Amino acid sequence: MNVCVLVGSLRKASFNGMLANALISLAPSSMRLDIVEIGGLPFYNEDLDTAAPPAQWTAFRQRIKAADAVLFVTPEYNRSVPAVLKNALDVGSRPYGRSVWDRKPGAIVSGSPGAIGGFGANHHLRQSLVFLNVPTLQQPEAYLGHVDKLFDEHGKLAGDGTSKFLQAFMQAFAIWAETVRSK
């Protein structure tokens, strides 16, 4: 199963980037996960969505359309998703009637140095995914608080408990995505 991973942080030493890499390493062998960079996507502007839209939009849309599922890994900015992630959703949802998100199985993991683990971003993203018709894994939920303390100096998960939880999450996501795809 070909899975696109979208990371909502652009920072080089991003905790959510580290989290995405950990999720990739813990995924079942039936999944092939690749991080799709979203930082270079021009902001969505319908005036640019002509017969020749920006090349970055076209490449992004093709990559998401070809995927079997999408995993979103995001921090929380002001109780919501980062603008770069919202922009990726918007770019993929247009032109109207040709959304690349439609019926694409999804899952969300949010991570934050704060105690509630990006709960606001996770749920705000779910609202957009409902509208975009992305069937999203409901359980287990994944909000990782104190994410700044979960990794060692090499960016690897430091605790077995978190690794086991994330491995179980990825197994549930694989089952969920196969179930959605078979319908």
Side-chain angles (χ1 to χ4, degrees):
M1 179 183 326
N2 176 19
V3 181
C4 288
V5 180
L6 275 62
V7 179
S9 176
L10 299 178
R11 202 168 56 87
K12 286 182 183 178
S14 162
F15 297 121
N16 282 274
M18 290 181 221
L19 186 53
N21 287 321
L23 290 160
I24 290 168
S25 73
L26 295 168
S29 61
S30 63
M31 300 178 103
R32 186 181 61 101
L33 293 92
D34 294 308
I35 294 175
V36 176
E37 296 297 332
I38 58 176
L41 292 173
F43 276 109
Y44 185 76
N45 175 345
E46 193 171 358
D47 291 344
L48 302 177
D49 216 352
T50 63
Q56 301 96 320
W57 290 1
T58 301
F60 176 76
R61 289 168 175 164
Q62 289 171 345
R63 180 65 183 93
I64 300 300
K65 189 171 183 74
D68 298 311
V70 181
L71 174 63
F72 299 90
V73 183
T74 188
E76 179 174 293
Y77 291 0
N78 303 311
R79 296 287 189 254
S80 188
V81 296
V84 67
L85 186 52
K86 178 61 168 76
N87 185 54
L89 293 177
D90 294 343
V91 168
S93 72
R94 300 290 178 190
Y96 184 79
R98 296 198 324 227
S99 174
V100 297
W101 305 113
D102 191 44
R103 297 212 29 83
K104 188 87 51 188
I108 304 169
V109 177
S110 57
S112 170
I116 59 174
F119 178 87
N122 194 304
H123 279 261
H124 212 191
L125 180 54
R126 286 176 187 276
Q127 291 176 348
S128 293
L129 296 181
V130 166
F131 179 78
L132 295 172
N133 199 29
V134 175
T136 306
L137 177 68
Q138 300 299 308
Q139 293 289 331
E141 295 176 298
Y143 318 102
L144 297 174
H146 307 290
V147 71
D148 55 325
K149 297 179 179 27
L150 296 179
F151 299 95
D152 65 18
E153 65 275 3
H154 305 291
K156 303 294 181 196
L157 282 173
D160 284 343
T162 303
S163 292
K164 286 179 183 172
F165 170 73
L166 293 176
Q167 188 170 29
F169 178 89
M170 291 304 292
Q171 184 63 42
F173 178 38
I175 292 167
W176 169 250
E178 279 300 331
T179 301
V180 171
R181 291 180 56 223
S182 68
K183 291 182 179 181

